[in-house]
Amino acid sequence: MQQPRNIAADFGTRIESLRFLVRDRDGKYGPSFDAVFEADDIDVIKSAPRAPRMNAHCERVIGSIRREALDHVLIVNEAQARQVLGACQRHYNEHRPHRARKQLPPDAHEQTTGVHDLEARRLLRTRVLGGVINEYRYAA
């Protein structure tokens, strides 16, 4: 019972801005654990039963964001964090190739045509987050 109180105390006044607590169904989280957060009007959402790898996809995306951007940027406030994560989201969905989609980003619907004469085309680089992430494309 003391651990959730400590967590709530660590958040301080920011706990009012929280709406959800996502947790697994481990036995160490009893009804008293949930009651501490529900008293602050935070909805406790439990993961699906018998789904130990339910968070694997989310953890994979979070790991990619950390390795590709957040480990290289010093975040000083919430506004900057939102800007950085927005840039990461745009890059991830509009440009970054994904192996599961045959090297297409999630927002792309078809494969671009291949380049036959590499000398005739010029490669352009777009810097994202001041060069932390680079996007490359051929000039038209």
Side-chain angles (χ1 to χ4, degrees):
M1 187 70 176
Q2 188 60 41
Q3 287 179 335
R5 286 186 187 143
N6 292 344
I7 293 169
D10 287 344
F11 280 115
T13 58
R14 293 181 299 158
I15 200 159
E16 297 167 0
S17 66
L18 302 178
R19 297 183 356 213
F20 305 104
L21 171 71
V22 181
R23 69 168 184 85
D24 60 12
R25 293 179 176 268
D26 197 323
K28 63 186 169 192
Y29 305 115
S32 58
F33 183 90
D34 295 344
V36 170
F37 293 101
E38 289 169 351
D40 288 321
D41 293 327
I42 297 175
D43 292 330
V44 178
I45 300 172
K46 298 176 188 172
S47 63
R50 296 186 176 191
R53 289 187 247 168
M54 183 175 180
N55 294 328
H57 296 287
C58 183
E59 289 177 14
R60 174 76 184 252
V61 170
I62 291 170
S64 295
I65 291 169
R66 287 187 65 193
R67 283 186 303 276
E68 293 175 11
L70 297 180
D71 286 350
H72 306 283
V73 177
L74 179 62
I75 306 289
V76 294
N77 59 29
E78 183 179 349
Q80 183 187 16
R82 288 182 185 278
Q83 187 268 333
V84 168
L85 293 174
C88 289
Q89 179 183 6
R90 284 187 299 278
H91 171 73
Y92 191 87
N93 289 327
E94 297 171 8
H95 185 78
R96 186 178 182 272
H98 294 259
R99 285 180 31 190
R101 298 202 69 236
K102 298 180 181 175
Q103 300 303 325
L104 288 175
D107 288 348
H109 299 291
E110 60 185 44
Q111 186 73 28
T112 58
T113 58
V115 177
H116 298 290
D117 184 14
L118 295 178
E119 299 298 325
R121 304 199 78 175
R122 207 176 58 161
L123 188 64
L124 298 177
R125 176 177 70 170
T126 303
R127 293 175 161 217
V128 179
L129 296 174
V132 172
I133 300 173
N134 293 295
E135 298 176 352
Y136 298 93
R137 69 184 193 291
Y138 287 104

